[in-house]
Amino acid sequence: MTTPRVGFCGIGRMGEPMTQRLLAAGHDVAVWNRSAAKLGALTDAGAMACVTPQALGECVDIALLCLGDGKAVEDVVFGERGLVHAATPPRYLVDHSTLSPALTRHLAKRWAEATGSVWIDAPVSGGTGGAQAGTLAIMAGGPAEAIEAVTPVLRAFSSRVTRMGDIGAGQTTKLANQAIVATTLAGLAEAFVLAKRSGIDTAAVPSALQGGWADSVLMQTLWPRMVTPPDFATGTVRVILKDLDAIAELAHASATVQRVLPEVRRLLKDAAERGMADWDLSQVFRIGEAESAPDA
């Protein structure tokens, strides 16, 4: 495919900037979203709005998905007027959502049996900032030749596409990524409260630790958002909790003992129950702050 037609389903925090990058790279892009009101900026930029996933599937070679959970993916692909019902389905379906590897393999098998087309699991890491800058990291699972074929398109919003193995391998890698993110988040939250209650300048911490062992993209991204609460969420408690559920499922299936992540999940579940489900991840520190003993 020299000039593949591209479709994008799921215009949310990640999907909108990813699609903008595709348009800026010169791709012809069809878009669908459950809420059509979110398509305005993209159609103004040249995207073609479709009324159903089926309609999108009938006019593209590559369909990209970035949806909230497994049910949303299943509905968009196999539901009424879903992608699977396209008269001529896309040659490649690339799923950027984060799902359990087992569900991904199940859906990919259904897709292949129904259409003869290839499913690639290709979750992303890098957040909305990475999507806007075109620097997302993509970890992919599927046939090598299929991943090679879609990589030029994915390069519009990513700096790296790595094939991790067969179907489901991309999701397994993403869950390992999310395990690191969740545990680091919990550590940062506790360190922030410790620093704040001990009276040091919390705003100076990221620069003081830059280049040391504690430094990380998460340190440089989340810590400043703890100092100054953000106006909008780049990642939410609800989403990371969903991913931790998938990690627990994978750990059970692989007989992997987990000691730290269950504690982190309890912290985030507590945050969600306190009304913080849709808050920015950086604000998890407020639970520890509230539970700390008052100043003497």
Side-chain angles (χ1 to χ4, degrees), residues 51-119:
V51 295
T52 65
Q54 177 181 347
L56 179 143
E58 289 173 347
C59 65
V60 303
D61 304 299
I62 302 172
L64 311 178
L65 312 181
C66 193
L67 300 163
D69 55 32
K71 183 180 185 306
V73 171
E74 189 166 12
D75 287 347
V76 167
V77 178
F78 299 105
E80 185 179 2
R81 307 190 76 182
L83 286 167
V84 75
H85 301 299
T88 304
R91 184 174 178 184
Y92 301 107
L93 188 156
V94 183
D95 185 20
H96 295 302
S97 318
T98 300
L99 313 181
S100 76
L103 178 58
T104 287
R105 287 189 288 268
H106 170 69
L107 296 178
K109 186 173 183 292
R110 283 180 65 187
W111 174 256
E113 290 173 347
T115 68
S117 300
V118 178
W119 184 297

Side-chain angles (χ1 to χ4, degrees), residues 21-273:
R21 295 288 306 188
L22 287 165
L23 291 166
H27 292 287
D28 291 328
V29 185
V31 292
W32 174 87
N33 193 64
R34 195 173 302 278
S35 171
K38 293 185 178 181
L39 300 179
L42 295 176
T43 55
D44 288 346
M48 180 182 72
C50 296
V51 295
T52 65
Q54 177 181 347
L56 179 143
E58 289 173 347
C59 65
V60 303
D61 304 299
I62 302 172
L64 311 178
L65 312 181
C66 193
L67 300 163
D69 55 32
K71 183 180 185 306
V73 171
E74 189 166 12
D75 287 347
V76 167
V77 178
F78 299 105
E80 185 179 2
R81 307 190 76 182
L83 286 167
V84 75
H85 301 299
T88 304
R91 184 174 178 184
Y92 301 107
L93 188 156
V94 183
D95 185 20
H96 295 302
S97 318
T98 300
L99 313 181
S100 76
L103 178 58
T104 287
R105 287 189 288 268
H106 170 69
L107 296 178
K109 186 173 183 292
R110 283 180 65 187
W111 174 256
E113 290 173 347
T115 68
S117 300
V118 178
W119 184 297
I120 298 168
D121 57 302
V124 302
S125 182
T128 55
Q132 292 163 355
T135 57
L136 292 173
I138 297 178
M139 48 226 84
E145 63 276 10
I147 293 171
E148 182 179 356
V150 302
T151 291
V153 171
L154 305 187
R155 285 290 190 184
F157 47 77
S158 69
S159 59
R160 184 170 58 259
V161 179
T162 305
R163 179 180 184 265
M164 299 304 299
D166 294 331
I167 294 294
Q171 297 293 358
T172 300
T173 309
K174 176 60 183 288
L175 294 183
N177 176 89
Q178 295 303 81
I180 295 168
V181 169
T183 52
T184 303
L185 168 67
L188 287 171
E190 292 197 356
F192 181 83
V193 175
L194 178 66
K196 184 176 181 180
R197 296 188 68 83
S198 299
I200 66 171
D201 181 5
T202 54
V205 170
S207 60
L209 301 186
Q210 193 166 17
W213 279 20
D215 193 20
S216 66
V217 171
L218 288 171
M219 160 65 80
Q220 299 299 330
T221 302
L222 294 181
W223 193 285
R225 297 170 78 85
M226 296 177 188
V227 176
T228 304
D231 294 328
F232 60 92
T234 58
T236 66
V237 171
R238 185 188 307 278
V239 169
I240 202 76
L241 262 177
K242 180 263 296 181
D243 295 345
L244 285 173
D245 287 342
I247 291 169
E249 178 185 326
L250 180 60
H252 177 76
S254 60
T256 300
V257 175
Q258 294 188 314
R259 299 186 185 278
V260 177
L261 282 172
E263 291 299 323
V264 175
R265 188 185 183 285
R266 276 189 279 274
L267 167 69
L268 294 171
K269 189 170 184 295
D270 187 11
E273 290 172 349

